[in-house]
Amino acid sequence: MASPALKSGETLEDRCGLVTQVTNRKYPKLKEVDDVLGGAAAWENVDSTAESCPKCEHPRAYFMQLQTRSADEPMTTFYKCCNAQCGHRWRD
Ligand SMILES: [Zn+2]
């Protein structure tokens, strides 16, 4: 009497409609962000929020909060545009 168990896990596709295809393109001005975050792979499992992209005005962006310096300093919020064609990254 075993019934097949279907797992319904939320994926990035559900959240943003597109899966960002990670490329090797690097934007020099974002090197600092990449250094902090450990590269594009760090964005694969993060949540998205209603933050509009300053570049393409897409209404949603992935976000991460990190301690960039010492524990005494406030968290820095990093964003990445949910538009796979844009992929713009910025920080607070
Ligand atoms: Zn964008």
Side-chain angles (χ1 to χ4, degrees), residues 58-74:
H58 188 82
R60 291 194 74 80
Y62 302 111
F63 76 101
M64 271 195 266
Q65 289 190 308
L66 293 178
Q67 205 91 52
T68 53
R69 291 167 182 270
S70 70
D72 295 341
E73 305 212 355

Side-chain angles (χ1 to χ4, degrees), residues 53 55-56 58 81 83 86-88:
C53 173
K55 191 175 177 184
C56 74
H58 188 82
C81 182
N83 177 0
C86 173
H88 183 59

Side-chain angles (χ1 to χ4, degrees), residues 18-83:
L18 284 171
V19 172
T20 302
Q21 189 68 41
V22 177
T23 71
N24 290 323
R25 284 176 70 188
K26 295 274 185 184
Y27 298 87
K29 67 180 178 179
L30 293 169
K31 188 172 191 316
E32 181 191 358
V33 178
D34 272 343
D35 285 348
V36 171
L37 301 179
W43 292 95
E44 284 176 4
N45 295 302
V46 303
D47 288 325
S48 60
T49 187
E51 179 78 20
S52 63
C53 173
K55 191 175 177 184
C56 74
E57 298 182 346
H58 188 82
R60 291 194 74 80
Y62 302 111
F63 76 101
M64 271 195 266
Q65 289 190 308
L66 293 178
Q67 205 91 52
T68 53
R69 291 167 182 270
S70 70
D72 295 341
E73 305 212 355
M75 303 278 276
T76 303
T77 305
F78 292 88
Y79 298 99
K80 181 184 178 183
C81 182
C82 280
N83 177 0

